[in-house]
């Protein structure tokens, strides 16, 4: 079917995790939206690890949900094992993770996309961009027809000039059995966008019926499994599957080393830079020669599929070596490989060429999201897609861009890292990247972001009602705990005993006692009938507020200082060559990133305190000149 002369307000290229969130956000905000994808049934596909969440990544998923996105709903409906990580550590680094049924996940996401009002699916391939005077105007499809739009969001994943590597074999493709997108990459280059060459990879898939699980250590999910979405009390599938753990060994490493000269990572065949925090098994063996073994998680890709994903042995070695290394591992001696592992090399755009709202600085109406911006991971992609979708709509409505800063969410941290610092390798989110992580916990993502989602038009009445019910429950629980006074000494022993604390010396409210590190918080609701109805999520919030009050106050003060730096704005057309004494190197770095504020300028790698001081003096002088001009009128 020809799509010539069709016009939409927003066009999204690609229906991966970034594309789905972008298209859904735009459509839910009321924009007439179309998503262009050659395989609509693979919307939200998981070509690598079939899981959602993880340390840092779980926070992203909760934030997407709090703003009205879809990823959390989808994993709650299709997850087959749920775990909360870092539970022995503080709340700042606790994160959810879930193993997905990758087929059900894609089916559900495809169904949501195809049944969302204002959203049209165009089953085709985008081959180029329509543009005029550095303003995007639409997309060219593979049949030559044109689709017009005021905003275009590119979410191409690993498909831009994608090249699959397996041993000496190199095949054009974005992922297995799917071709690359070469002409679209050319179109971006013609617009003047700086391109990078990156690389990622995936392991072989194994047949579960050929694995000896008796040799392996099982890993079970949590009971009860905790959902990702703030809208859900339970996950859809309570009956969870088990994953299993095994390890490489010295024989495995010998096999890998014997074929290292045939690895495209080491023989010069691959030019792209791979992810430091998710390296291939050959990379790990070469970089860490003293390590006697590396852990492998055997993860089912679906509830009713024989495919198993061996997380930890991503590889692009030749087939015969892959077979040999897999069968050297305990429990996998007779394992049958259904699909071989491979590496994929692809083009990405230097993210410093983007505004913090993910619009290309030099091309109006063109937005980028996902791996095209140098990230790795479904969660990072989805977070960017949501922000790009929001801002694509705000662009066509001539509204101010929506930007999350580093004090508001992990999504803000990620996008600021990308657009301020750029990437030299695929970017992955960690809690350690967020300097205000105690403020940006996964448990309070709704309190931070749902009011913003409501203002944007993404939070519907049901979510808004549920959010307000939770906030009311927290306020009510705080009042109840403040009112509940525990007497000192023996008179209060029948309260302090069940709470697991020693008798107190002064009359104290139960709310004040939440500060005590030895308090058994689970026992609070059993002390009195007036406490039995307190909501667990409300108690959790109050417990964190009290237990970490000093740390929270300190981070709030640090966040205020951060926002102060962000308030000193730098005009888009500011000429750094005009700053007296500013070295050429500093001029180049600042001119490349074009920071929006003095605070952002300070985060650019290599910018010195002396350069910031010179910049501050110049900005203050400029502000005085503007004030004088205004007063003279």
């Amino acid at each position: 079917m020809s799509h010539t002369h069709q016009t939409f307000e927003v066009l999204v290229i690609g229906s991966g995790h970034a594309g789905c969130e972008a298209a859904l956000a735009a459509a839910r905000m009321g924009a007439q939206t179309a998503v262009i994808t050659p395989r609509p049934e693979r919307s939200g596909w998981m070509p690598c690890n079939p899981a959602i969440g993880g340390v840092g990544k779980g926070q992203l998923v909760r934030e997407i949900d709090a703003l009205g996105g879809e990823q959390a709903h989808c994993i709650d409906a299709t997850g087959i094992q749920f775990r909360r990580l870092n539970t022995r550590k503080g709340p700042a680094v606790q994160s959810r993770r879930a193993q997905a049924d990758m087929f059900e996940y894609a089916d559900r996401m495809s169904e949501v996309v195809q049944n969302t009002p204002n959203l049209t699916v165009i089953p085709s391939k985008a081959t180029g961009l329509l543009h005029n005077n550095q303003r995007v105007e639409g997309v060219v499809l593979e049949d030559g027809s044109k689709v017009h739009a005021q905003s275009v969001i590119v979410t191409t994943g690993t498909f831009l000039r994608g090249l699959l590597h397996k041993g000496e074999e190199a095949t054009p493709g974005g992922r297995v059995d799917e071709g690359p997108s070469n002409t679209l990459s050319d179109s971006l280059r013609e617009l003047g966008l700086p391109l990078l060459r990156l690389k990622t990879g995936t392991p072989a898939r194994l047949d579960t019926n050929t694995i000896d699980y008796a040799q392996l250590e099982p890993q079970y999910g949590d009971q009860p499994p905790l959902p990702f979405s703030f809208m859900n009390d339970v996950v859809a599938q309570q009956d969870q599957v088990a994953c299993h753990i095994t390890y490489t060994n010295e024989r495995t490493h010998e096999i890998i080393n014997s074929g290292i000269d045939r690895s495209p990572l080491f023989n010069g065949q691959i030019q792209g830079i791979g992810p430091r925090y998710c390296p291939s098994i050959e990379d790990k063996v070469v970089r860490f020669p003293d390590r006697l073994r590396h852990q492998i998680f055997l993860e089912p890709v679906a509830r009713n599929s024989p495919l198993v994903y061996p997380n930890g042995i991503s590889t692009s070695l030749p087939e015969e070596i892959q077979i040999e290394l897999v069968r050297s591992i305990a429990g996998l001696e007779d394992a049958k490989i259904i699909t071989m592992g491979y590496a994929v090399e692809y083009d990405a755009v230097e993210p410093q060429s983007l505004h913090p709202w993910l619009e290309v600085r030099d091309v109006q109406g063109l937005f980028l999201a996902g791996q095209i911006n140098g990230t790795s991971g479904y969660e990072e992609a989805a977070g960017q897609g949501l922000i790009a979708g929001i801002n694509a709509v705000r662009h066509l409505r001539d509204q101010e861009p929506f930007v999350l800063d580093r004090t508001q969410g992990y999504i803000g941290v990620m996008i600021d890292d990308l657009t301020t610092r750029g990437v030299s390798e695929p970017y992955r989110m960690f809690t350690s990247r967020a300097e205000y992580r105690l403020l940006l916990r996964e448990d309070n993502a709704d309190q931070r972001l749902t009011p913003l989602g409501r203002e944007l038009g993404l939070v519907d009445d049901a979510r808004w009602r549920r959010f307000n019910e939770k906030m009311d429950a927290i306020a009510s629980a705080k009042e109840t705990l403040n009112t509940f006074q525990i007497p000192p000494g023996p008179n209060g022993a029948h309260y302090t005993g069940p709470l697991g604390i020693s008798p107190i010396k002064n009359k104290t409210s139960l709310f004040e006692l939440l500060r005590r590190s030895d308090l058994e918080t689970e026992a609070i609701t059993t002390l009195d009938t007036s406490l039995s109805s307190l909501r667990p999520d409300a108690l959790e919030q109050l417990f964190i507020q009290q237990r970490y009050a000093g740390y929270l106050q300190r981070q709030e003060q640090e966040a205020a200082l951060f926002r102060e730096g962000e308030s000193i704005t730098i005009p888009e057309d500011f000429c750094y060559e005009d700053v007296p004494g500013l070295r050429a190197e500093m001029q180049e770095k600042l001119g490349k990133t074009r920071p929006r504020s003095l605070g952002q300028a300070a985060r650019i790698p290599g910018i010195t305190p002396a350069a910031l001081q010179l910049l501050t003096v110049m900005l203050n002088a400029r502000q005085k000149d503007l004030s004088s001009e205004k007063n003279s009128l």
Side-chain angles (χ1 to χ4, degrees):
M1 182 177 71
S2 174
H3 298 275
T4 302
H5 306 311
Q6 282 206 42
T7 300
F8 295 88
E9 292 180 298
V10 176
L11 281 176
V12 180
I13 300 175
S15 66
H17 299 269
C20 288
E21 294 292 350
L24 291 170
R28 288 167 176 170
M29 290 174 70
Q32 292 302 313
T33 305
V35 59
I36 301 167
T37 175
R39 300 189 67 176
E41 76 281 3
R42 281 199 168 188
S43 296
W45 190 245
M46 295 181 172
C48 198
N49 187 11
I52 294 293
V55 178
K57 292 169 175 282
Q59 279 84 341
L60 288 172
V61 182
R62 296 276 276 178
E63 290 180 358
I64 292 164
D65 181 67
L67 283 166
E70 191 63 31
Q71 192 170 60
H73 280 296
C74 203
I75 189 60
D76 284 352
T78 63
I80 56 178
Q81 189 199 82
F82 291 77
R83 297 181 66 220
R84 199 172 188 188
L85 310 179
N86 285 343
T87 53
R88 295 183 181 180
K89 299 181 180 179
V93 295
Q94 293 178 8
S95 306
R96 287 164 167 79
R97 184 183 187 276
Q99 204 65 33
D101 184 313
M102 62 179 289
F103 303 112
E104 288 189 3
Y105 187 99
D107 287 346
R108 187 189 184 281
M109 188 64 82
S110 299
E111 183 180 356
V112 171
V113 168
Q114 291 170 17
N115 290 291
T116 294
N118 303 319
L119 182 52
T120 300
V121 177
I122 299 177
S124 184
K125 185 175 180 179
T127 58
L129 297 172
L130 298 171
H131 54 90
N132 182 34
N133 293 326
Q134 295 303 104
R135 180 189 295 271
V136 75
E137 294 185 338
V139 169
V140 181
L141 303 181
E142 60 184 339
D143 64 358
S145 63
K146 299 173 182 178
V147 185
H148 297 272
Q150 296 169 257
S151 295
V152 174
I153 308 171
V154 182
T155 68
T156 45
T158 59
F159 282 83
L160 293 181
R161 288 202 308 126
L163 192 61
L164 308 181
H165 296 271
K166 186 169 53 182
E168 296 89 347
E169 177 187 344
T171 307
R175 56 193 179 209
V176 67
D177 298 328
E178 295 189 49
S181 181
N182 296 334
T183 56
L184 187 56
S185 188
D186 296 336
S187 187
L188 293 170
R189 189 180 289 105
E190 289 168 7
L191 279 167
L193 276 66
L195 299 184
L196 307 168
R197 196 71 174 158
L198 298 178
K199 167 262 172 189
T200 188
T202 190
R205 304 303 194 271
L206 311 179
D207 183 346
T208 189
N209 299 310
T210 62
I211 296 172
D212 182 5
Y213 286 103
Q215 296 188 55
L216 308 181
E217 174 188 343
Q219 182 189 59
Y220 301 103
D222 294 339
Q223 287 295 342
L226 291 177
F228 274 86
S229 177
F230 288 98
M231 293 297 289
N232 295 328
D233 295 318
V234 296
V235 302
Q237 302 183 40
Q238 293 289 309
D239 182 21
Q240 299 188 72
V241 304
C243 296
H244 290 80
I245 297 173
T246 186
Y247 299 87
T248 63
N249 53 57
E250 292 185 60
R251 174 60 185 149
T252 311
H253 300 178
E254 289 173 4
I255 293 166
I256 291 168
N257 281 318
S258 71
I260 209 71
D261 59 331
R262 299 179 63 194
S263 167
L265 286 175
F266 293 94
N267 64 13
Q269 184 174 315
I270 291 179
Q271 301 299 315
I273 301 170
R276 179 185 314 186
Y277 302 106
C278 189
S280 67
I281 186 59
E282 54 263 42
D283 209 9
K284 286 190 278 191
V285 167
V286 170
R287 283 167 53 189
F288 308 106
D290 297 331
R291 287 280 298 271
L292 299 181
R293 66 179 191 172
H294 295 279
Q295 192 173 57
I296 303 167
F297 290 91
L298 298 177
E299 301 171 339
V301 307
R303 188 177 293 276
N304 298 309
S305 169
L307 291 174
V308 170
Y309 181 95
N311 190 350
I313 54 170
S314 173
T315 184
S316 56
L317 285 163
E319 289 190 11
E320 62 271 22
I321 297 177
Q322 288 193 42
I323 294 170
E324 195 176 354
L325 81 85
V326 164
R327 291 182 177 172
S328 70
I329 296 167
L332 307 182
E333 292 88 350
D334 298 313
K336 177 183 176 183
I337 295 179
I338 297 177
T339 305
M340 291 290 169
Y342 63 89
V344 56
E345 198 175 8
Y346 57 95
D347 283 348
V349 172
E350 168 54 64
Q352 283 178 301
S353 62
L354 303 175
H355 288 295
W357 52 92
L358 298 182
E359 183 180 20
V360 175
R361 278 204 307 253
D362 297 326
V363 186
Q364 290 186 49
L366 180 60
F367 298 80
L368 310 181
Q371 283 178 285
I372 191 173
N373 291 339
T375 58
S376 66
Y378 311 135
E379 305 82 1
E380 291 88 343
Q384 294 171 69
L386 181 66
I387 299 301
I390 290 168
N391 283 309
V393 176
R394 294 180 73 82
H395 166 76
L396 62 90
R397 293 176 180 169
D398 293 323
Q399 296 173 329
E400 283 293 311
F402 174 71
V403 177
L404 287 175
D405 68 35
R406 302 181 73 89
T407 70
Q408 293 176 292
Y410 274 73
I411 294 174
V413 171
M414 170 180 63
I415 293 176
D416 182 67
D417 282 348
L418 294 172
T419 58
T420 301
R421 300 169 181 168
V423 297
S424 58
E425 61 191 44
Y427 177 99
R428 178 177 178 176
M429 178 49 71
F430 292 105
T431 54
S432 58
R433 295 190 188 274
E435 58 269 51
Y436 309 110
R437 55 186 168 272
L438 189 54
L439 302 178
L440 308 180
R441 307 180 309 275
E442 67 161 24
D443 62 84
N444 72 350
D446 57 340
Q447 296 174 63
R448 291 183 279 116
L449 300 177
T450 296
L452 294 176
R454 182 67 171 181
E455 291 175 15
L456 291 165
L458 283 174
V459 169
D460 61 18
D461 290 343
R463 180 181 291 275
W464 187 240
R465 184 166 52 252
R466 187 176 176 94
F467 170 73
N468 283 304
E469 287 170 355
K470 176 180 174 180
M471 298 308 296
D472 289 344
I474 293 172
S476 176
K478 184 175 181 178
E479 182 179 357
T480 299
L481 295 178
N482 264 320
T483 304
F484 198 99
Q485 299 287 321
I486 297 179
N491 292 333
H494 64 287
Y495 292 122
T496 55
L499 291 175
I501 61 177
S502 56
I504 56 178
K505 296 180 179 179
N506 300 298
K507 188 177 182 180
T508 309
S509 75
L510 199 48
F511 183 64
E512 291 176 279
L513 285 180
L514 291 180
R515 290 178 180 267
R516 304 250 324 224
S517 59
D518 56 345
L519 177 68
E520 298 287 346
T521 54
E522 295 81 1
I524 286 176
T525 56
T526 65
L527 290 181
D528 189 87
T529 55
S530 65
L531 303 171
S532 60
S533 61
L534 296 182
R535 282 176 44 162
D537 56 350
L539 280 176
E540 179 188 30
Q541 293 300 296
L542 297 175
F543 169 77
I544 293 171
Q545 286 177 25
Q546 286 292 82
R547 179 70 58 85
Y548 299 95
Y551 300 102
L552 287 166
Q553 184 178 14
R554 188 183 311 158
Q555 284 215 341
E556 289 285 8
Q557 293 169 347
E558 293 168 353
L561 289 174
F562 170 89
R563 287 189 284 268
E564 189 177 309
E566 297 302 291
S567 69
I568 305 173
T569 59
I570 302 175
E572 176 75 14
D573 61 351
F574 188 86
C575 185
Y576 296 99
E577 288 80 2
D578 292 343
V579 180
L582 189 63
R583 290 164 42 200
E585 179 189 357
M586 300 295 105
Q587 293 174 8
E588 182 181 353
K589 288 178 180 293
L590 290 162
K592 180 181 180 182
T593 304
R594 287 188 247 169
R596 302 175 70 217
S597 67
L598 191 64
Q600 187 184 6
R603 296 191 296 277
I604 299 173
I607 295 298
T608 63
L612 290 171
Q613 184 61 39
L614 291 170
L615 186 56
T616 303
V617 170
M618 188 68 174
L619 289 170
N620 287 338
R622 179 179 173 128
Q623 186 60 42
K624 287 179 181 178
D625 291 342
L626 291 173
S627 297
S628 297
E629 289 177 14
K630 185 176 180 180
N631 291 333
S632 65
L633 293 176

